Amino acid sequence: MYDPSVVSYSRLLELFWERLGDSRHLLNQVGNDRGTQYRHGIYWLTEGQKEEAEASMAAAKELALVQAGKTIYTECKASETFYDAEEYHQQYLQKGGQSAKKQASETIRCYG
């Protein structure tokens, strides 16, 4: 659960863009994973978050257009009902002894 006393929404937006990387230019895709279940988005709960999200999106779009002439396909909309994944899907890689850290160099193994 999001706790604003731990991290600000603004910081979450910064981390979002940093971690999403070039996938922001791909429609319904993150890395090699494709399909609508892999769409990326920014979702807000409050009017304040909406303003921050829209400002962040506008800045990212402008930067992408100026620097690379590219479009951003990230959706930006109000949060809807959220359903937690089944327990066996949560922390999937960690449970299998793998790392999902950005600098991890090991090959991700698929199992199931």
Side-chain angles (χ1 to χ4, degrees):
M1 284 293 172
Y2 170 61
D3 183 348
S5 69
V6 175
V7 62
S8 70
Y9 190 72
S10 176
R11 179 65 180 140
L12 285 180
L13 291 170
E14 290 172 13
L15 289 169
F16 170 79
W17 292 116
E18 178 185 306
R19 305 264 167 96
L20 184 59
D22 287 340
S23 289
R24 71 185 72 188
H25 305 297
L26 305 172
L27 179 61
N28 295 329
Q29 182 176 346
V30 175
N32 291 324
D33 297 319
R34 296 182 173 117
T36 55
Q37 71 271 34
Y38 294 105
R39 67 186 174 271
H40 33 89
I42 299 172
Y43 308 101
W44 67 83
L45 294 171
T46 68
E47 282 300 311
Q49 289 177 353
K50 177 182 180 182
E51 291 172 11
E52 285 186 74
E54 289 177 343
S56 176
M57 176 68 84
K61 282 183 174 182
E62 177 67 22
L63 187 63
L65 190 58
V66 169
Q67 287 187 343
K70 294 186 176 181
T71 301
I72 290 182
Y73 290 100
T74 302
E75 65 182 20
C76 186
K77 63 183 197 174
S79 181
E80 298 174 0
T81 303
F82 177 81
Y83 299 95
D84 285 333
E86 296 86 354
E87 177 58 35
Y88 65 90
H89 278 118
Q90 295 183 27
Q91 302 300 321
Y92 182 78
L93 293 176
Q94 186 178 14
K95 288 177 182 175
Q98 300 182 73
S99 174
K101 293 182 180 173
K102 190 161 183 85
Q103 300 303 322
S105 60
E106 64 193 19
T107 301
I108 294 177
R109 304 175 308 275
C110 294
Y111 49 93

